[in-house]
Amino acid sequence: MRYQDIDWDTMWLESRARKSWKKKKSSDWDKRAAGFAERNLDSPFVAQFLAHLEVEPEWSVLDVGSGPGTLAIPLAGQVRRVTALDYSASMLAELEKQAKAAGRDNITTVQGSWTDDWQTLAIPRHEVAIASRSLSVDDLKGALRKLNDWAGKAVYVVDRVGAGPFDPDLFRAIGRTFEPGPDYIFTVNILYSLGIHARVDFLTLDSTRTYSSREEALQSYRWMVDDLTADEEKLLTAYVDARLSRIGERWQLARQTPPRWALIWWRTPG
Ligand SMILES: C[S@@+](CC[C@H](N)C(=O)[O-])C[C@H]1O[C@@H](n2cnc3c(N)ncnc32)[C@H](O)[C@@H]1O
């Protein structure tokens, strides 16, 4: 067998079809916007991502699948302007609220999808394009090509490593099998097939995370499971409670598998 005989696109599609969670619609993300913002805007993930990003103050950044501005808001303090593209109106409303609170007035929000015509959306080419934890697409190659075309200097993509943010032990505890679906290695190989030799860095978050309440800790686990039944909810609660400890006013939760992400990046031909 030769490397070029491997059909990464088909393998990616097949692995995706087996994954344990459903693809989310914009309305699903709308419902999650406030909770996602609460859990992620101050996550240690942000500092780890930004430590790897090389940007100049006069550059602009296109953030695809920006969510509530996890990266767009801190980035707006480092560059001339940021365009935040997301198909969830509630995520963009969260972003606008948080940007205002942070005093950032150089972010343009655009409600749109990976598959929309970005020219029709009047999105210009930016120096840098990023897509963090937002590559939820049916055509991965097309999405990667699009990012490459819209970036004059560099592209940064954050993709899952193995289970990514999911806790496989939770699935075992509630009696479900866990199938993580395709992770970053597919993306790196599909980029290779496009003639793009990307670099990869790894962002590993702490396996212990602190929460302001037990309910917040429970919420941060509930999002992992689609269509949680009442029996599964009880098992999930027992799983979380067994790992939670109270430290003063805060709650600390330790898991076996720390969340891991791959930061895939490359310089574009310009
Ligand atoms: C997990 S959040 C990531 C948010 C942010 N980039 C981060 O790293 O925290 C995924 C975001 O991608 C958006 N998204 C998912 N599929 C999308 C699509 N097809 N078009 C545009 N946005 C999409 C969702 O609405 C959500 O805000």
Side-chain angles (χ1 to χ4, degrees), residues 29 36 65-67 70 86-88 91 112-114 132-134 136:
W29 286 110
F36 187 90
S66 63
T70 320
D86 203 293
Y87 68 178
S88 156
M91 283 287 191
S113 161
W114 274 106
S132 162
R133 309 186 288 186
S134 64
S136 179

Side-chain angles (χ1 to χ4, degrees), residues 21-230:
W21 63 93
K22 293 185 200 141
K23 184 168 186 265
K24 290 173 186 59
K25 302 188 290 289
S26 57
S27 54
D28 298 320
W29 286 110
D30 280 342
K31 284 183 217 132
R32 286 168 176 230
F36 187 90
E38 195 179 325
R39 284 195 305 278
N40 286 279
L41 288 172
D42 66 346
S43 157
F45 167 81
V46 179
Q48 284 206 33
F49 175 92
L50 294 177
H52 287 83
L53 195 76
E54 290 170 15
V55 284
E56 306 274 338
E58 68 278 11
W59 286 4
S60 60
V61 175
L62 170 63
D63 183 359
V64 184
S66 63
T70 320
L71 299 170
I73 296 172
L75 266 173
Q78 297 186 12
V79 298
R80 183 168 52 83
R81 82 189 164 81
V82 175
T83 303
L85 174 70
D86 203 293
Y87 68 178
S88 156
S90 302
M91 283 287 191
L92 293 178
E94 256 326 306
L95 186 155
E96 281 163 10
K97 189 174 86 186
Q98 303 288 347
K100 199 169 170 201
R104 301 274 172 240
D105 58 3
N106 56 343
I107 306 177
T108 307
T109 56
V110 179
Q111 191 180 355
S113 161
W114 274 106
T115 47
D116 286 339
D117 179 345
W118 291 359
Q119 254 150 14
T120 309
L121 291 177
I123 299 175
R125 207 166 188 227
H126 292 59
E127 273 80 19
V128 171
I130 66 174
S132 162
R133 309 186 288 186
S134 64
L135 268 177
S136 179
V137 290
D138 294 326
D139 173 12
L140 181 57
K141 201 178 240 174
L144 294 169
R145 260 202 205 106
K146 218 163 171 176
L147 286 175
N148 194 58
D149 291 347
W150 253 262
K153 303 270 188 204
V155 176
Y156 293 80
V157 167
V158 179
D159 208 351
R160 278 182 308 102
V161 178
F166 295 91
D167 181 351
D169 291 331
L170 168 72
F171 286 76
R172 270 190 283 280
I174 66 169
R176 288 200 193 189
T177 51
F178 179 68
E179 174 55 65
D183 75 352
Y184 80 99
I185 202 63
F186 290 80
T187 311
V188 169
N189 280 286
I190 288 172
L191 282 168
Y192 182 89
S193 75
L194 291 171
I196 296 171
H197 300 175
R199 298 158 199 233
V200 186
D201 287 302
F202 295 96
L203 314 179
T204 303
L205 304 188
D206 267 354
S207 49
T208 303
R209 177 113 202 240
T210 55
Y211 299 93
S212 56
S213 66
R214 173 175 172 265
E215 182 52 30
E216 195 192 337
L218 284 168
Q219 278 299 355
S220 84
Y221 265 70
R222 283 189 195 114
W223 74 265
M224 294 185 199
V225 188
D226 290 327
D227 307 321
L228 198 64
T229 66

